[in-house]
Amino acid sequence: MSGGDPIAAFRVEAGDLLDQVEQGLLDLTHRLDDRDLIDAVFRGLHTLKGSGAMFGFDALASFTHHCETAFDRVRKGLAPATQGLVAVILSAKDHMRALVDGDGTGLEATGAAILAELQREVDAAAGAPTPAPSAPVRKGWRLTFYLPPESMANGTNPLMLLDELRELGDCTITARTDRLPALGDLNPVECHVGWDVELFGDVSRDDIDDVFLFVMDDMELVIEEIGGEAEAPAEVVEAPVAAAAVATPEATGPAKAATKTGESVRVPAERLDELMDRVGELVIVHSRLSQLANGQGGDMVLRSISEEIERLVSELRDTMMVLRMVPVATLFGRFRRLIHDLARETGKAIELSTEGEATEVDKTVIERLADPMVHLIRNACDHGLEPEDERVAAGKPATGHVRLSAHQAGGEVLITIQDDGRGINRERVRAKAEAQGLIQPGQQISESELLQMIFHPGFSTAAAVTNLSGRGVGMDVVKRTIESLRGAIDITSVPGEGSKVVLRIPLTLAIIDGLLVRVGEGRYVIPLAAVEECLELSLEEDLRSRGRSFITLRDRLVPFLRLREMFETGTKPDPHQKIVVIATGAERVGLVVDQIIGSHQTVIKSMSPLHQDVAAFAGATILGDGGVALILDVVQLVLAGQQQEERLRAAG
């Protein structure tokens, strides 16, 4: 992003730094004597301070300096790391993010309060026993570096870089003027001076790298260790992951080529969205071309071109989908801090574990899942997990456990939030539901229907309102958000053992492979990832199964839905109907259609506001002939099939 807005680039990089600092602090709460974690947090604070000053974020630099100074005492063994100090620095990190995102206006009182609390923690730690002195450090470093000519025009102040190096230890700096052009060729806004630096003290290689973090992409930097038994050979710095490697003028061609491995480029999210829209339009246009080429009298050359374009469009679509996919680790990582804060607020010991973090989901899905999962995790910690004494009395470990997991199943990603708490009190849920008129007293409903009551607006079984929950808001927002993603929520609970909430989310919200079918005169698309198999249903079998809509599939009864009746087409069934068996997880349902037309690349278009409450449809798509086909919502149809099965069994 060196060619873009330097302030925007700083904010992005600073956000990454703050995330790294937070993760280091959260790890440190479990290992207070871990020297590597202490050093990592200090480096992050030091880099943020220096970079903030370089880009004009003076309030950020000043505030971060106090936090860096406190952590420097810990790093040098002058004070121990404590839970209180870590908690204050976590609060300070939140304030730093606010300073990065804004201009500091109105945040002075908050910053002053945090610094006052930080001073109290530093004073309290001053009398505490200090850790054992660390091993002897390396004696020093010799640096030679040149900044790119346009660095000053891009906002880099070389004097600030030199000041940061001086802060690291005993520093001697000599300017290099060997690249100064003739006076007539001199451009006053370009940087032509280089520097030789000798640096001695308790300085690591990472400390030096942090000084040049925001200019390392294009600069020349040679570092060698000095003062040991034998001087290490000069080392050429490589750029960070997000940039090309740094090369010296003497770097060879193969070395340059090797540094390209693992290179990545940061792209604004809106550009990916725009590109996905263009790919979607291309898929629609290809559908029209394919229909024309395969129509009556279609030209063989045109058909060949259509098939070649189909291959290219398919590859482009798959590449685009991969670009939009991000691992759920980016989502799960946010909740470590949430669990830490909830443990402090509730006074409970809470442990978080994660599984399946490499599972990938569309970036839009990740963004919209964050808030629902916050509500579910807060609910699990406040309502689900018992206080320590209650857990011990029940024979459980004193520490409560919240587990987040993710895995892919067909065209869905299943994200699970599970706790080992007291479980959901069914009697209390039923009493609340009856009091609100959601069900009638004595009405028979299934276990799943009863537990789903907690997602109704204003529904809460909390005995008292707390800062975390009890007002009956939040869970209905969870349900609305998940349904807006064309997903569904499954909930199970065992009294005394805990609860499990499973979010069923589609892999992508943009383009899918679909199975195009006809029901009556209408055409519909079934997501192909959910299709298991297709069966023949003769008219005789259809008549024989009236009243008991089940088929036997490999010794297992599978309910099926007649879409013709569900959609009230008013047409007679075709003599050779088909059953399309779909599945979500372990649940399977058959859909009776009149005709299977074939596969179809489907660009998902949102339904209009007038049709958003129609549960059977997830969206619409444009066909090659310009017509519109509705996309069936697999999750809702499977749920409808399960409810039909429960009703038939209850009646039997």
Side-chain angles (χ1 to χ4, degrees), residues 73-74 90 144 187 235 237 291 304 398 412 471 481 506 514 523 617 631:
R73 290 178 54 81
V74 177
L90 277 170
T144 299
N187 186 338
E235 181 177 359
V237 169
Q291 185 169 2
S304 174
E412 294 179 320
R471 293 178 173 85
T481 302
R523 291 172 292 179
F617 305 119
I631 303 169

Side-chain angles (χ1 to χ4, degrees), residues 511-568:
I511 302 176
I512 61 170
D513 285 318
L515 185 67
L516 188 62
V517 301
R518 180 178 59 82
V519 179
E521 301 299 327
R523 291 172 292 179
Y524 304 88
V525 175
I526 304 172
L528 196 58
V531 175
E532 287 202 340
E533 56 187 301
C534 301
L535 308 171
E536 186 88 18
L537 179 66
S538 66
L539 188 58
E540 294 77 12
E541 291 174 324
D542 186 22
L543 293 173
R544 189 165 53 246
S545 63
R546 292 286 172 177
R548 296 289 293 180
S549 299
F550 287 91
I551 56 172
T552 302
L553 194 59
R554 286 180 287 280
D555 299 325
R556 178 181 172 185
L557 284 178
V558 176
F560 64 82
L561 303 171
R562 295 177 173 84
L563 296 184
R564 190 180 58 260
E565 296 178 0
M566 177 180 285
F567 299 157
E568 299 179 358

Side-chain angles (χ1 to χ4, degrees), residues 7 89 168 222 247 252 300 344 361 382 451 458 467 589 592 596 619-620 623 634:
I7 299 299
I89 300 296
L168 294 179
V222 178
T252 61
M300 289 299 297
R344 291 177 63 88
V361 189
D382 194 32
L451 294 179
N467 290 334
V589 169
V592 179
I596 296 176
L623 302 177
V634 171

Side-chain angles (χ1 to χ4, degrees), residues 25-41:
L25 289 168
L26 292 172
D27 289 335
L28 198 57
T29 60
H30 303 290
R31 305 192 299 276
L32 289 172
D33 57 348
D34 191 314
R35 295 290 305 173
D36 291 337
L37 289 175
I38 293 170
D39 289 342
V41 171

Side-chain angles (χ1 to χ4, degrees), residues 596-611:
I596 296 176
I597 299 175
S599 62
H600 183 270
Q601 279 196 353
T602 302
V603 180
I604 302 174
K605 302 292 186 182
S606 300
M607 301 284 283
S608 72
L610 294 175
H611 301 90

Side-chain angles (χ1 to χ4, degrees), residues 386-407:
E386 313 94 327
E388 292 186 40
D389 54 350
E390 187 177 328
R391 291 180 63 86
V392 172
K396 293 182 177 182
T399 300
H401 188 202
V402 176
R403 178 172 172 266
L404 305 179
S405 63
H407 71 277

Side-chain angles (χ1 to χ4, degrees), residues 39-196:
D39 289 342
V41 171
F42 173 80
R43 286 197 305 271
L45 295 172
H46 176 76
T47 303
L48 187 64
K49 180 197 73 172
S51 303
M54 182 186 305
F55 285 93
F57 287 75
D58 296 332
L60 172 68
S62 176
F63 179 83
T64 308
H65 173 73
H66 295 284
C67 301
E68 176 201 22
T69 301
F71 236 82
D72 192 34
R73 290 178 54 81
V74 177
R75 185 175 72 104
K76 293 179 177 178
L78 302 177
T82 63
Q83 294 288 356
L85 178 62
V86 171
V88 174
I89 300 296
L90 277 170
S91 299
K93 171 257 163 189
D94 295 337
H95 184 67
M96 294 172 198
R97 187 176 292 276
L99 292 172
V100 168
D101 294 338
D103 59 2
T105 303
L107 299 175
E108 296 84 357
T110 303
I114 293 174
L115 292 181
E117 187 177 357
L118 176 62
Q119 187 61 51
R120 287 193 293 271
E121 289 294 336
V122 170
D123 292 342
T130 57
S134 57
V137 295
R138 292 174 290 186
K139 294 194 176 182
W141 302 88
R142 181 180 295 118
L143 290 68
T144 299
F145 69 92
Y146 291 89
L147 297 174
E150 68 278 5
S151 58
M152 292 192 296
N154 290 337
T156 301
N157 187 338
L159 298 180
M160 289 187 176
L161 297 178
L162 298 176
D163 286 342
E164 285 194 61
L165 290 173
R166 289 191 183 95
E167 290 178 2
L168 294 179
D170 185 10
C171 188
T172 303
I173 301 174
T174 306
R176 297 177 64 98
T177 58
D178 54 307
R179 297 189 184 181
L180 281 176
L183 185 60
D185 299 328
L186 182 65
N187 186 338
V189 300
E190 292 186 350
C191 181
H192 300 287
V193 179
W195 289 271
D196 290 324

